[in-house]
Every structure is written in C-alpha cells, then in structure tokens.
Amino acid sequence: MAAEHVVTTTCATGPRPSPGWGEDGCARRLPNAATGRSIGTMKKGWRGPLLLAATIAIPASAQIGVPPLHIANPSPAPVPLADDGALAFGDAQARMTVPVTIGVRGPWPFIVDTGAERTVVSRELAGVLGLVAGTDVRVTAMTGTTMVGTVIVPTLSVSTISHRTIAAPALETRNLGALGMLGLDALQGHSVAIDFDHARMTLRPSRSRSAHVAAAPDEIVVVAKSLYGQLIVTDAHWRGVRIAVIIDTGSPVSIGNHALLAAMTKPPLPLGPLSVVSATGQILTADAYAVDRLNIGSVDVANVRIAFSDVPPFRRFGLTTRPALMLGMDVLRLFRLVQIDFANREIRFELPRGMAHGGGPAL
C-alpha cells in the first residue's frame, strides 16, 4: 500500500479591499483607534499520512494558464554571509526561496514551507539532474489526494541542513512556483528565523531548553503544540473565540475553516471568490472575506483577508469542527522577524520599530 503524504503551499493575487491593500497586493499597516496600534493585512518518524501543501492562488475570473519556468544552468554558490547560518532569500510569488544544493550541483531556489511535511523536487529539475525514480506515494494537497511519483535525491544541503537519500515527491514547476520546496522533514530540529527587514533567513540547530527565554521588549512569544512535526498555536482568538493557528510560510494568503467562519457572530466583509491552484495542479475556489481582527498571543492583527474552505490539511490535524486558520505570508510579513523554533515549540514575532511589548498591543 502506498504511503500517504501531505503538501501545503499557497500563492494568491485574488480580491483585495481598500484601504489596507496596495495595488501590488502587499499588506499595509493600519492604525487602530480602539487599541492604539494594529497590523493591517488586507491584502510536515510518522508512519501515517503526511502533509504536503503547495498552492498558487489566482482570481477566480482569471485565465488559468501558467507558463513553464525555464531551468537555467545553476549559478555559482552565493558569497557566504557573516553569519554562516544566514541565507539571503528570494521571492517566488510572495513566498520565500533559499538556495539548495543537490549533490554537487546548484544552488537551486526552493520555497521554504513550514506548512508542508515533505520536501518536494520539481519534475523539471529532477530531469535536469537525472534523478532516479522512486515509488509512488499518495499526496494530499489543498485540493485533495492523488498518487505522485517520487525521485531519489542523493544529498540535499542548505545552510546547516544536510540530508542524504531523500525520496522526494516530484511535481511540476509551474504548480510549485519554484524548482522545489523545503518542508518540515528538512526543518525539524532547527530554529528558522525569517528576517523581513534584511531579506534573509537563518537556520540553526536547536535543542530543547529546560527554561523559557523571556521575550524582549519588542517581541511576542507564543508557545505551540507539536502534531506530526507541525507547530499549532492555540493562544489565538477572534473576539474571545479560540482559534488553532498553523504558521504556513508556503502560503501568501491565510485560509480558515468553515468552523471559524461560523463562529464569527459579526459577519466579515465578503470579498468574492479566490481560486487556488494546488501543488498537484488541481484547482480550489474559496470565498474570501475581510475579518476585522485576530489576536495572536498579546498582539492584534487588524483587517485580515481570509479565504474560507475545509481543505484537507484541517482534517489531517483534526481541526474540522474547531475554529482553525492557516496563517500565511500576508500576515507574517507585517512583522520585522518571525522565528520558529521546532525543538522548543516556540514562535517569536518581532514587532515593527517603535512598538514595545505591552498590554494588548495591536499591529
């Protein structure tokens, strides 16, 4: 019987309201009169099924036709930064990419996806590198489950991470939005710091600490639960309603389940349909709404665009009847830095300059 794996990444350019949204689809910070400060966002050893999530979102009315990406010869290795754990990251349709070496060739741009349990290689890159085909696996994406072939990756290296002999699902470049995707199987045991101010990501080995490290004046620290290697934040709310939150760096948009929408006694503003192309090339259409605010830890996030759909990842984590949200890059980019420490089940959010940690700040 084939193994099952789950993959999750999303990319979007769907409807966006005004104010709080730029023409480029980027979020804008908005003040909040009630709290004084606010962030406005308008804009994977487990033997069971794994989660692989990669999706590209487009307006429902747009023509679906993504030109194939050309794989150029690999560029020379990047010049090392002063911090050897730090990597400059690029941008693939509003998602982060980092340089990954396969064997002795590369580097190649891979999306970093904390919402995906499995590292993925594009079929085109596998062809260029002549990777040997592996067994088929069952992959669950945002749009459902399908059988996918794998390729055998002899070695994969990025910063302090190095893996040997990975059987990676092989998917099309045009659906991934990059030449590959770095999932939780590669990130476990590390602390991932995403520095938006300096456009770089730092990967460091992490060990479980016996004592909690206090938050700095400009930080919000949230402790998460670990499920199948994924960190799930439980200290999140909408107007007192508790929400389970998954940090998904592979998605440029945030996706909520219908239990969350039903719990909102104040109806959110409808924004219209948003179509999502999954990593497997299937299409999901979901209704997007503007939600007035969300609370994560002790910080409020105002004017959040959320597409609502009971996508398979919610079933994977047992979150079909409980309000839940996959928090995408549209919200994460509002912070100066986001640090995800898998060993200590901890997420740190660094607030924008001039904002100190205090009683209920809103960003």
Side-chain angles (χ1 to χ4, degrees):
M1 181 176 180
E4 181 173 331
H5 309 275
V6 186
V7 185
T8 60
T9 303
T10 49
C11 186
T13 58
R16 49 186 178 264
S18 171
W21 283 80
E23 291 301 318
D24 56 358
C26 297
R28 296 290 183 264
R29 292 180 182 132
L30 299 175
N32 183 276
T35 56
R37 290 174 291 185
S38 70
I39 284 185
T41 69
M42 294 292 205
K43 203 177 151 162
K44 335 140 197 120
W46 165 252
R47 296 184 180 180
L50 299 179
L51 179 65
L52 176 69
T55 61
I56 299 175
I58 59 176
S61 59
Q63 180 180 359
I64 299 166
V66 183
L69 298 181
H70 173 67
I71 301 180
N73 291 328
S75 58
V79 177
L81 301 173
D83 181 345
D84 60 8
L87 300 167
F89 63 73
D91 188 46
Q93 298 172 322
R95 292 170 293 177
M96 298 170 300
T97 64
V98 293
V100 171
T101 300
I102 294 179
V104 296
R105 299 181 65 179
W108 312 94
F110 275 43
I111 292 168
V112 178
D113 189 355
T114 60
E117 293 181 13
R118 192 73 176 260
T119 293
V120 176
V121 174
S122 75
R123 292 174 182 171
E124 292 85 349
L125 179 57
V128 169
L129 298 177
L131 300 181
V132 176
T135 60
D136 288 355
V137 295
R138 184 176 292 109
V139 168
T140 300
M142 285 289 189
T143 51
T145 301
T146 187
M147 296 300 295
V148 172
T150 63
V151 292
I152 306 303
V153 179
T155 59
L156 183 149
S157 303
V158 52
S159 183
T160 60
I161 295 175
S162 182
H163 287 276
R164 292 182 178 274
T165 316
I166 295 176
L171 301 171
E172 293 184 16
T173 300
R174 65 177 182 174
N175 297 326
L176 287 175
L179 296 179
M181 181 172 66
L182 208 61
L184 292 176
D185 57 347
L187 300 175
Q188 288 301 314
H190 282 74
S191 175
V192 183
I194 308 163
D195 186 340
F196 294 107
D197 272 5
H198 300 93
R200 72 175 187 175
M201 185 185 76
T202 303
L203 303 176
R204 287 192 177 92
S206 177
R207 294 183 179 180
S208 180
R209 300 187 300 262
S210 58
H212 173 70
V213 177
D218 60 349
E219 281 185 333
I220 299 294
V221 180
V222 179
V223 177
K225 294 182 178 181
S226 181
L227 185 61
Y228 309 143
Q230 178 62 266
L231 297 185
I232 300 178
V233 175
T234 58
D235 187 13
H237 304 81
W238 174 86
R239 296 183 176 270
V241 176
R242 187 177 293 275
I243 305 170
V245 173
I246 299 171
I247 305 297
D248 189 357
T249 62
S251 174
V253 296
S254 299
I255 299 178
N257 63 4
H258 282 125
L260 174 57
L261 181 60
M264 294 181 172
T265 54
K266 178 182 178 180
L269 176 68
L271 299 177
L274 184 71
S275 289
V276 175
V277 181
S278 76
T280 56
Q282 300 163 316
I283 301 167
L284 168 74
T285 299
D287 290 324
Y289 294 82
V291 176
D292 56 349
R293 65 177 51 247
L294 294 173
N295 176 272
I296 302 174
S298 59
V299 62
D300 285 337
V301 183
N303 304 315
V304 185
R305 180 181 68 170
I306 300 177
F308 287 94
S309 179
D310 288 330
V311 293
F314 290 128
R315 292 198 300 272
R316 163 71 168 140
F317 296 115
L319 297 173
T320 55
T321 60
R322 173 184 173 187
L325 174 67
M326 300 183 71
L327 197 67
M329 290 291 289
D330 51 351
V331 174
L332 298 179
R333 285 182 183 274
L334 298 173
F335 297 91
R336 294 174 56 201
L337 182 145
V338 177
Q339 180 177 337
I340 306 168
D341 189 335
F342 290 97
N344 292 286
R345 298 183 292 107
E346 179 183 271
I347 304 169
R348 292 176 178 260
F349 301 91
E350 190 170 317
L351 304 175
R353 286 186 176 83
M355 297 181 63
H357 184 281
L363 304 178

